[in-house]
C-alpha cells in the first residue's frame, strides 16, 4: 500500500491525493485513519522527491508572511492546534505542509493510554468531530527526546496538562514537571485546564485553583534566563462573565496570552440526528458548530484585554473567510484541526494566501 501511495503523492499535489484517499479514510475508524495518514505523511516527507514536492507546494515559498508575536517570529500565522500531534512525531511533515507553528500535546508527566476506544467520531453533516481521547500521550520524557530533533525554523508550542490519576490538589506539580521538562525544547507553553475529557480538569478554571497554577508557572518561568511565553487555553462553555474574569486574572498575573478556545460539551444545533449523537456519548465537539462561539470568545477577550495580550484563535476555521473573520475579531494567530481533517492539506495554503492578501495589521 505504501508504494501505491508514494506513486500517487509523487504524481501530483498532495491535496489531490488526499481527495482520492478521503472516502476510503472516512470508512475507517477515525482514530485508525488518523494514524494511517500521519504515518504516511512522515514517510512522504522523509523521501526527498515527495518532500520537495510537498514543501514546494505549501512550504515557506508559498504565501508565507512572517509575523512577530510573543518575542517570536512565526513564519506565518497558520498553526496546527494541539491534539493532532500529541507526541511531537510529525513536526517535519507539518512544516513541509506549510504550517508556521505546531502546538504539540497535551503532554503529561507520565505516559497514559487515555480513554477506552472508540473515542474519536466524525459528524460529516456538521463538519465536526467529537473526541474523548483523554490526554493519551507517550509522556514527558519521550516527547522531550523527539523534540531534540525538531526541524529548524518551525515554531513549536507545548500544550501541558496533568495525568488523569493526579488529584486536582496536586495538579500544579504535574504542570510544573512538564514545564521544567520542556522549557528548553519548545518556544511557548499553553496551559490546558479546559479539556472536557479528563474528569475534574475543568474545575481548575475556577479562579482559586487557576490563580495558584498560573502564579506557580509564572514564577518558575521567571527564575531562569530562558523564559517562555505562557498562554492559557480556555473552554467555549464558560459564560461571558467568566471569560471576562479570566481575562482580568490573566492580565493581573502577567500571563502572555490566551488560546480561544477548546472543544465544547454542547450539542445544540447539530444536523446529525439525535440518535447518533446519543450513541456517541460524551466528548468534546469541535469544527463548524463551534465557529461562531469561538469567534465571539476571541472578540470578547480582545474587548477586555490589554493590547499586548496575545490571542490565538481556534475552532471551526475551515475556509479563507473564516480565517479572515477570526483575525478581524482580534486573533493574532489562528490554529486548525477539524477543518484540516475534512479539507486536507490544501486548506493550509488557502488560509496562508488569504491572510497574506489582507492589509498589514
Amino acid at each position: 500500500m505504501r508504494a501505491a501511495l508514494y506513486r500517487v503523492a509523487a504524481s501530483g499535489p498532495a491535496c489531490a491525493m488526499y481527495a482520492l484517499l478521503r472516502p476510503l479514510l472516512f470508512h475507517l475508524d477515525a482514530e485508525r485513519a488518523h494514524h494511517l495518514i500521519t504515518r504516511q505523511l512522515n514517510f512522504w516527507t522523509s523521501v526527498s522527491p515527495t518532500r520537495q514536492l510537498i514543501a514546494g507546494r505549501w512550504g515557506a515559498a508559498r504565501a508565507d508572511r512572517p509575523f512577530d508575536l510573543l518575542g517570536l517570529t512565526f513564519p506565518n500565522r497558520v498553526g496546527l492546534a494541539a491534539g493532532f500531534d500529541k507526541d511531537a512525531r510529525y513536526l517535519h511533515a507539518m512544516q513541509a505542509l506549510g504550517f508556521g507553528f505546531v502546538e504539540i500535546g497535551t503532554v503529561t508527566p507520565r505516559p497514559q493510554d487515555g480513554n477506552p476506544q472508540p473515542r474519536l467520531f466524525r459528524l460529516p453533516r456538521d463538519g465536526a468531530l467529537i473526541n474523548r481521547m483523554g490526554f493519551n500521550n507517550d509522556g514527558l520524557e519521550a516527547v522531550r527526546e523527539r523534540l531534540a530533533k525538531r526541524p529548524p525554523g518551525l515554531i513549536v508550542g507545548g500544550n501541558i496538562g496533568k495525568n488523569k490519576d493526579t488529584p486536582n490538589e496536586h495538579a500544579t506539580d504535574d504542570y510544573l514537571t512538564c514545564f521544567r521538562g520542556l522549557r528548553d525544547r519548545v518556544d511557548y507553553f499553553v496551559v490546558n485546564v479546559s479539556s472536557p475529557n479528563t474528569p475534574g480538569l475543568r474545575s481548575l478554571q475556577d479562579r482559586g485553583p487557576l490563580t495558584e497554577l498560573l502564579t506557580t508557572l509564572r514564577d518558575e518561568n521567571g527564575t531562569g534566563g530562558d523564559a517562555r511565553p505562557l498562554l492559557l487555553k480556555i473552554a467555549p462553555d464558560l459564560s461571558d462573565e467568566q471569560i471576562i474574569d479570566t481575562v482580568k486574572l490573566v492580565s493581573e498575573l502577567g500571563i502572555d496570552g490566551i488560546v480561544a478556545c477548546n472543544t465544547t460539551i454542547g450539542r445544540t444545533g447539530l444536523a446529525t440526528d439525535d440518535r447518533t449523537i446519543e450513541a456517541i456519548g460524551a466528548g468534546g465537539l469541535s469544527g463548524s458548530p463551534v465557529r461562531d462561539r469561538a469567534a465571539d470568545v476571541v472578540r470578547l477577550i480582545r474587548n477586555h484585554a490589554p493590547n499586548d495580550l496575545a490571542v490565538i484563535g481556534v475552532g471551526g476555521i475551515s475556509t479563507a473567510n473564516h480565517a479572515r473573520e477570526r483575525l478581524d475579531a482580534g486573533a493574532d494567530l489562528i490554529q486548525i484541526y477539524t477543518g484540516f481533517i475534512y479539507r486536507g492539506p490544501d486548506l493550509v495554503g488557502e488560509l496562508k494566501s488569504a491572510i497574506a492578501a489582507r492589509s498589514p495589521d
Side-chain angles (χ1 to χ4, degrees):
M1 181 177 181
R2 176 171 287 182
L5 291 171
Y6 172 79
R7 289 194 296 271
V8 174
S11 66
C15 60
M17 176 199 63
Y18 187 79
L20 178 66
L21 289 178
R22 200 183 87 160
L24 171 62
L25 293 170
F26 272 43
H27 279 291
L28 299 175
D29 169 79
E31 188 171 356
R32 182 183 176 191
H34 172 82
H35 290 307
L36 174 65
I37 197 66
T38 49
R39 287 167 183 162
Q40 293 300 326
L41 271 172
N42 263 4
F43 170 72
W44 299 325
T45 52
S46 70
V47 179
S48 181
T50 49
R51 181 176 65 248
Q52 293 175 8
L53 174 73
I54 292 171
R57 177 66 172 83
W58 286 283
R62 183 170 186 255
D64 266 2
R65 184 171 157 188
F67 186 77
D68 293 331
L69 185 73
L70 298 167
L72 304 168
T73 298
F74 291 78
N76 62 71
R77 298 167 77 173
V78 180
L80 183 65
F84 191 97
D85 188 5
K86 293 175 176 292
D87 297 311
R89 293 178 180 272
Y90 312 121
L91 296 177
H92 290 81
M94 295 303 115
Q95 184 182 49
L97 289 180
F99 283 103
F101 64 108
V102 172
E103 192 172 307
I104 63 160
T106 297
V107 180
T108 58
R110 290 171 282 110
Q112 61 182 27
D113 294 332
N115 293 320
Q117 298 182 30
R119 54 194 180 182
L120 180 62
F121 309 88
R122 306 182 194 91
L123 306 181
R125 294 179 62 191
D126 293 289
L129 298 173
I130 291 176
N131 93 82
R132 53 171 175 270
M133 304 299 286
F135 287 178
N136 57 305
N137 74 108
D138 291 342
L140 172 62
E141 290 307 318
V143 172
R144 177 178 166 80
E145 184 175 342
R146 291 193 192 103
L147 286 170
K149 301 175 183 178
R150 54 177 282 188
L154 179 71
I155 298 294
V156 178
N159 186 298
I160 57 175
K162 77 174 190 72
N163 281 108
K164 181 178 181 178
D165 59 359
T166 299
N168 276 6
E169 55 266 30
H170 298 299
T172 296
D173 295 336
D174 275 15
Y175 286 90
L176 195 56
T177 296
C178 290
F179 182 87
R180 288 169 172 165
L182 294 178
R183 186 174 187 164
D184 64 341
R185 293 287 195 264
V186 300
D187 300 299
Y188 70 89
F189 280 97
V190 175
V191 180
N192 187 355
V193 292
S194 52
S195 169
N197 300 316
T198 296
L201 184 76
R202 283 191 168 192
S203 65
L204 295 176
Q205 294 181 114
D206 295 343
R207 190 176 182 90
L210 185 59
T211 300
E212 177 190 351
L213 173 59
L214 293 180
T215 299
T216 300
L217 292 174
R218 179 204 62 191
D219 291 349
E220 177 70 21
N221 197 25
T223 60
D226 55 350
R228 295 289 185 263
L230 189 62
L231 294 85
L232 173 70
K233 189 166 189 175
I234 64 173
D237 305 309
L238 296 174
S239 68
D240 287 1
E241 291 75 16
Q242 288 174 313
I243 291 171
I244 293 169
D245 187 56
T246 299
V247 171
K248 291 179 180 178
L249 176 63
V250 164
S251 301
E252 290 169 3
L253 295 178
I255 303 305
D256 298 291
I258 295 177
V259 179
C261 44
N262 216 317
T263 58
T264 179
I265 59 174
R267 297 292 189 268
T268 59
L270 297 178
T272 304
D273 64 275
D274 292 342
R275 180 176 297 181
T276 299
I277 297 300
E278 290 173 5
I280 290 173
L285 176 71
S286 63
S288 295
V290 304
R291 182 171 60 246
D292 290 344
R293 177 57 178 167
D296 288 343
V297 171
V298 167
R299 197 172 293 110
L300 190 63
I301 293 168
R302 186 52 73 203
N303 288 340
H304 290 85
N307 292 335
D308 61 350
L309 186 81
V311 179
I312 300 179
V314 55
I317 299 172
S318 60
T319 71
N321 281 337
H322 299 158
R324 286 189 288 260
E325 290 167 358
R326 201 61 53 91
L327 295 180
D328 289 343
D332 298 296
L333 306 169
I334 62 169
Q335 292 177 331
I336 59 175
Y337 183 147
T338 304
F340 186 50
I341 300 296
Y342 279 92
R343 294 284 314 280
D346 205 41
L347 177 60
V348 184
E350 179 182 321
L351 300 183
K352 288 166 59 179
S353 296
I355 293 172
R358 293 175 84 246
S359 298
D361 291 322

